[in-house]
Amino acid sequence: MTQIVSPENESDLDKGMVIFQDVRKVYDDSIVAVENLNLIINKGELVSLIGPSGCGKTTTLKIVNRLEECTSGKILIGGMDIMSLDPVRLRRGIGYVVQEIALMPHMSVAENIGIVPRLHNWPRKKIMKRVDELLEMSGLEPAKYRYRLPDQLSGGQKQRIGVLRALAAEPEVILMDEPFGALDPISREVLQNELLSIQQKLHKTIIFVTHDMDEALKISDRVVIMRSGKIEQMGSPAEIQENPATEFVRNFIGEDRLSQISPEDSVSVLVEDPWGKAYPDQSASDVLSMMEDEDMESIQVVEKRANRWAGMAYLRDVKRISRTGGSVRDAARRDRKLYLEEATMRDAAEMLADKAYPIPVIDEQGEFLGVITEAGIARLTIGRLKRRVTGGASQ
Amino acid sequence: MIQQSSLLVLFIKYVARYYPRILRLTFQHLTISAIALALTLVVCVPLGIYITRKEKLAPYVIGLANVFQTIPSLALLGFLILIFGIGNDNAICALFMYAMLPVLQNTYTGIRSVPSHLVQAAKGMGMTDFQILLKVQLPIARPVLLAGVRVATVWIIGTATLASAIGGGGLGKLIFSGLASIRYEIILAGAIPATIIALLADQCLKFLQDYYSPRNRAKRMAKKAEKLGVDLSE
Ligand SMILES: Nc1ncnc2c1ncn2[C@@H]1O[C@H](COP(=O)(O)OP(=O)(O)OP(=O)(O)O)[C@@H](O)[C@H]1O
Ligand SMILES: [Mg+2]
């Protein structure tokens, strides 16, 4: 799944090539944000980083322009170890679109776009020309927009300016952190198309962070799916869609892509982490008080080691056992469960119709994977309906 | 009524007769205030910036300025005689201590209120710390900072009248001698110019604040570009 980078590759590097070698980033000595990251991004390639919130996407970008320094490992740009470069010069050579857009509120559109060229001491005339050229390129009439302030722009225009600002000094490498984040689907689509046509002309090396699988699949040459700081899978959009390597990737694509759900589909997209878990050796009375505090009707009992499923305990059984001073193991029942490999949506729905308790999902080795709840099914359905509506609107 | 109109007459007569002295004292008053204000700015703006980078010091520094500000100004002046003796130095120093708080506080809060993602973005684009301060933090903090400067200016000009109580110059001399001889026209001859100076200074600063607001600046640039545009296209 991950590529091993051999040093021989370094000799034929083009200027825009970005290489991550065993990169690891730990915040505050304890929060592992990025781990074991090995990735080669070729010159002119647009690579998306995608994954759930907090999986380390922004951190990965920030260690490229040294807003954060990696704890261990190496990053090479154009064959140069970034740690050997002056951070200020490095940053001036890399385009950066910030997650919060972050246009300077006291500067006009032209000044915002011209920030990096000015840091490079371009002559004034050249900067002005460049600004107009960029504005025209993204369909904003220079005469009208040059001297506007950011708060006189629409959300979509702000995000455009954010992208133009990153392009202004013609960097080879551009980092984009959810550049179209807070936009409605229609403007998003427009900006994605703009980016694609810009990229066809300019062939920059772009690392593009997004939450949105549709976006990633649409614009990228390669998609990197991240999970808790690690690469879960990478490949071309087609490869990822056809061969999701893990359950997680399948979920991730399944949730975001609007595939038809049929009763015979796997339940994998429905599996979620349960609210609380108990260990078999915990005393029933401890578990009882926790369940009462959290207002839980049932609880999953899972062994610490290897995450093995030991059963599911219902409130009344836990109560009974707690009176005899036993452990929660004695209250666990193992009759109601689904195997991930074979269970279908229909099975889950029937089981829930019978009893509304969460259904534990395990694999054939007996590892506990999560639960399926009524709420989860409802969310999936609502999510589908919503996408129908917005999908219809953008046509 | 009679008293009032006669006071007006007395006042006009006094001014007509002593205007060179009033002008001289006004000038002196301005000088003392200007020096005190300059001192305040030169010390407190950098200090305010410094404590945004050394957060731990901030409560102590601001607390100290707060204490200075709370001491009754006459008592402060009296106390400073012990250090500086009698005269304008003493007065300037007291005015400075008195006016520290608004400048310090507003510099500090103004810079701290700049959203951190803007600072990050500036850094990410390759600005040095000094460039970030100059091009991002100070301009965004400017309205708050200038508000503090306005307060300090008005305070200094008003309080500078006390300088003459400890042997300094300025319009306070007129006020005090008017009080001593119970001649209201002399009190007015000191108080009116002092008030006018304070109001004028305040309005000047307000004008600056408006003139350099991002919106007005953008408008001026647009206008200028319109003119230049003709030049460029030829
Ligand atoms: N400055 C920091 N100090 C400590 N922990 C941090 C810091 N920045 C990020 N983290 C932690 O590192 C992890 C990764 O954060 P990161 O911002 O890279 O996530 P992300 O994938 O960009 O998420 P999102 O999609 O929400 O933007 C998170 O657990 C986060 O809490
Ligand atoms: Mg992020």
Side-chain angles (χ1 to χ4, degrees):
Chain A
M1 239 189 302
T2 50
Q3 269 166 284
I4 303 302
V5 182
S6 60
E8 300 95 80
N9 297 357
E10 285 175 31
S11 52
D12 55 1
L13 285 174
D14 274 314
K15 207 171 159 249
M17 195 179 211
V18 181
I19 299 180
F20 296 78
Q21 285 181 336
D22 286 324
V23 171
R24 179 180 155 87
K25 169 70 191 176
V26 183
Y27 286 112
D28 306 332
D29 296 328
S30 60
I31 305 163
V32 183
V34 173
E35 196 168 17
N36 192 19
L37 183 71
N38 283 290
L39 179 61
I40 299 181
I41 299 172
N42 294 310
K43 181 180 163 64
E45 199 179 16
L46 197 163
V47 171
S48 293
L49 305 181
I50 185 166
S53 189
C55 71
K57 306 181 295 291
T58 298
T59 305
T60 305
L61 292 192
K62 283 187 179 169
I63 50 188
V64 174
N65 65 10
R66 287 184 63 182
L67 282 179
E68 299 289 348
E69 314 229 306
C70 44
T71 314
S72 65
K74 231 192 211 184
I75 293 176
L76 306 170
I77 297 181
M80 304 268 271
D81 184 343
I82 59 167
M83 296 312 286
S84 69
L85 303 170
D86 168 38
V88 167
R89 297 232 345 249
L90 173 78
R91 291 178 197 134
R92 287 178 190 175
I94 298 178
Y96 186 36
V97 185
V98 198
Q99 187 163 5
E100 298 87 355
I101 316 181
L103 297 183
M104 299 299 160
H106 59 296
M107 294 184 186
S108 66
V109 164
E111 284 175 311
N112 264 293
I113 298 177
I115 289 178
V116 185
R118 235 175 308 143
L119 293 173
H120 282 294
N121 291 321
W122 286 18
R124 258 177 59 90
K125 280 239 172 87
K126 185 175 168 195
I127 298 179
M128 279 167 62
K129 242 183 79 187
R130 177 72 179 145
V131 167
D132 287 1
E133 180 186 306
L134 286 165
L135 284 172
E136 257 158 32
M137 187 171 78
S138 71
L140 298 166
E141 198 186 315
K144 198 166 156 200
Y145 288 98
R146 239 187 260 134
Y147 298 105
R148 290 231 184 146
L149 291 175
D151 66 7
Q152 299 167 316
L153 299 174
S154 73
Q157 288 166 344
K158 275 185 210 164
Q159 299 216 319
R160 278 195 184 87
I161 305 301
V163 173
L164 296 183
R165 185 170 68 175
L167 293 172
E170 309 188 313
E172 275 313 306
V173 178
I174 304 172
L175 313 174
M176 300 191 174
D177 201 345
E178 306 200 24
F180 313 139
L183 285 183
D184 61 282
I186 302 170
S187 324
R188 203 171 236 259
E189 186 106 22
V190 173
L191 265 83
Q192 287 164 356
N193 293 338
E194 267 174 33
L195 179 65
L196 278 177
S197 77
I198 291 174
Q199 177 63 353
Q200 259 159 24
K201 268 183 273 172
L202 304 179
H203 301 291
K204 303 290 185 187
T205 307
I206 299 178
I207 311 183
F208 187 101
V209 166
T210 176
H211 257 107
D212 177 353
M213 188 51 107
D214 287 319
E215 181 167 271
L217 295 174
K218 173 173 173 181
I219 64 164
S220 337
D221 299 313
R222 209 143 44 106
V223 180
V224 175
I225 298 169
M226 292 181 69
R227 175 195 197 181
S228 344
K230 291 189 189 140
I231 296 181
E232 187 81 5
Q233 184 179 8
M234 64 181 154
S236 70
E239 278 164 17
I240 297 259
Q241 268 168 292
E242 280 155 29
N243 283 316
T246 64
E247 213 40 58
F248 174 80
V249 175
R250 204 169 305 152
N251 287 351
F252 212 76
I253 298 175
E255 259 182 70
D256 271 63
R257 309 277 311 155
L258 177 55
S259 54
Q260 285 299 320
I261 300 171
S262 95
E264 307 312 320
D265 279 348
S266 155
V267 292
S268 57
V269 293
L270 285 172
V271 179
E272 55 187 292
D273 278 340
W275 260 47
K277 284 190 286 194
Y279 301 122
D281 298 331
Q282 269 180 294
S283 79
S285 54
D286 282 357
V287 174
L288 178 65
S289 62
M290 171 170 119
M291 289 174 76
E292 281 173 342
D293 285 350
E294 299 289 334
D295 208 11
M296 293 162 77
E297 291 287 326
S298 64
I299 193 163
Q300 302 300 324
V301 186
V302 180
E303 279 171 30
K304 249 186 200 151
R305 205 174 48 79
N307 208 22
R308 291 183 64 81
W309 186 65
M312 170 174 178
Y314 297 92
L315 188 62
R316 58 171 190 277
D317 293 336
V318 177
K319 259 188 194 149
R320 188 168 47 79
I321 301 291
S322 74
R323 269 183 245 121
T324 68
S327 67
V328 70
R329 183 197 312 275
D330 306 326
R333 293 169 184 242
R334 302 176 54 94
D335 47 347
R336 188 169 173 272
K337 61 180 178 283
L338 286 173
Y339 286 102
L340 184 78
E341 288 85 351
E342 55 195 34
T344 63
M345 298 270 183
R346 186 196 303 281
D347 299 336
E350 278 171 3
M351 214 178 249
L352 279 172
D354 182 34
K355 267 192 229 149
Y357 297 113
I359 310 168
V361 179
I362 60 178
D363 65 12
E364 272 162 3
Q365 285 76 45
E367 187 182 336
F368 176 69
L369 301 170
V371 295
I372 296 176
T373 62
E374 284 185 318
I377 292 197
R379 268 198 301 275
L380 185 71
T381 321
I382 292 167
R384 261 182 71 196
L385 289 175
K386 264 204 210 144
R387 269 195 292 264
R388 280 264 166 80
V389 175
T390 51
S394 65
Q395 248 126 63
Chain B
M1 274 307 274
I2 298 164
Q3 251 194 349
Q4 269 174 24
S5 61
S6 65
L7 177 58
L8 188 64
V9 173
L10 282 174
F11 174 65
I12 292 170
K13 271 188 184 160
Y14 185 85
V15 171
R17 185 153 168 209
Y18 290 107
Y19 72 90
R21 175 173 151 83
I22 297 175
L23 278 180
R24 192 168 48 79
L25 289 174
T26 306
F27 183 72
Q28 216 173 37
H29 197 98
L30 266 176
T31 314
I32 293 171
S33 304
I35 293 173
L37 183 63
L39 191 63
T40 312
L41 295 185
V42 166
V43 173
C44 294
V45 174
L47 188 59
I49 295 168
Y50 181 74
I51 57 176
T52 59
R53 289 162 194 228
K54 295 266 185 281
E55 284 287 336
K56 276 189 197 140
L57 290 180
Y60 301 105
V61 175
I62 291 178
L64 190 67
N66 214 334
V67 170
F68 289 155
Q69 210 254 300
T70 335
I71 302 173
S73 26
L74 257 178
L76 186 61
L77 287 167
F79 192 71
L80 283 174
I81 295 179
L82 291 178
I83 304 170
F84 290 100
I86 272 172
N88 282 335
D89 293 350
N90 180 340
I92 288 170
C93 181
L95 291 175
F96 157 71
M97 285 167 73
Y98 196 52
M100 276 178 88
L101 184 65
V103 178
L104 201 56
Q105 174 99 61
N106 285 32
T107 307
Y108 176 73
T109 36
I111 286 188
R112 286 234 324 181
S113 67
V114 176
S116 64
H117 67 259
L118 292 182
V119 176
Q120 276 261 321
K123 193 172 170 193
M125 285 185 286
M127 289 196 193
T128 60
D129 282 352
F130 189 62
Q131 284 169 329
I132 293 174
L133 181 68
L134 229 55
K135 296 185 173 186
V136 178
Q137 292 175 306
L138 280 176
I140 294 177
R142 179 160 49 210
V144 179
L145 210 162
L146 272 181
V149 174
R150 279 173 69 182
V151 172
T153 307
V154 174
W155 277 3
I156 285 178
I157 295 174
T159 317
T161 48
L162 293 180
S164 60
I166 49 158
L171 291 163
K173 271 198 164 163
L174 292 175
I175 297 177
F176 278 106
S177 65
L179 282 172
S181 55
I182 322 186
R183 285 177 59 186
Y184 293 106
E185 70 274 18
I186 306 185
I187 300 179
L188 284 181
I192 291 175
T195 313
I196 293 176
I197 300 173
L199 288 176
L200 277 179
D202 191 44
Q203 287 306 305
C204 280
L205 287 170
K206 184 172 179 308
F207 174 77
L208 278 184
Q209 199 169 329
D210 289 345
Y211 188 78
Y212 284 107
S213 75
R215 190 146 307 200
N216 288 328
R217 216 173 56 92
K219 270 190 201 148
R220 282 197 301 280
M221 278 192 301
K223 271 210 191 112
K224 201 169 128 196
E226 240 171 68
K227 273 188 215 156
L228 274 179
V230 183
D231 298 344
L232 282 176
S233 60
E234 53 178 289

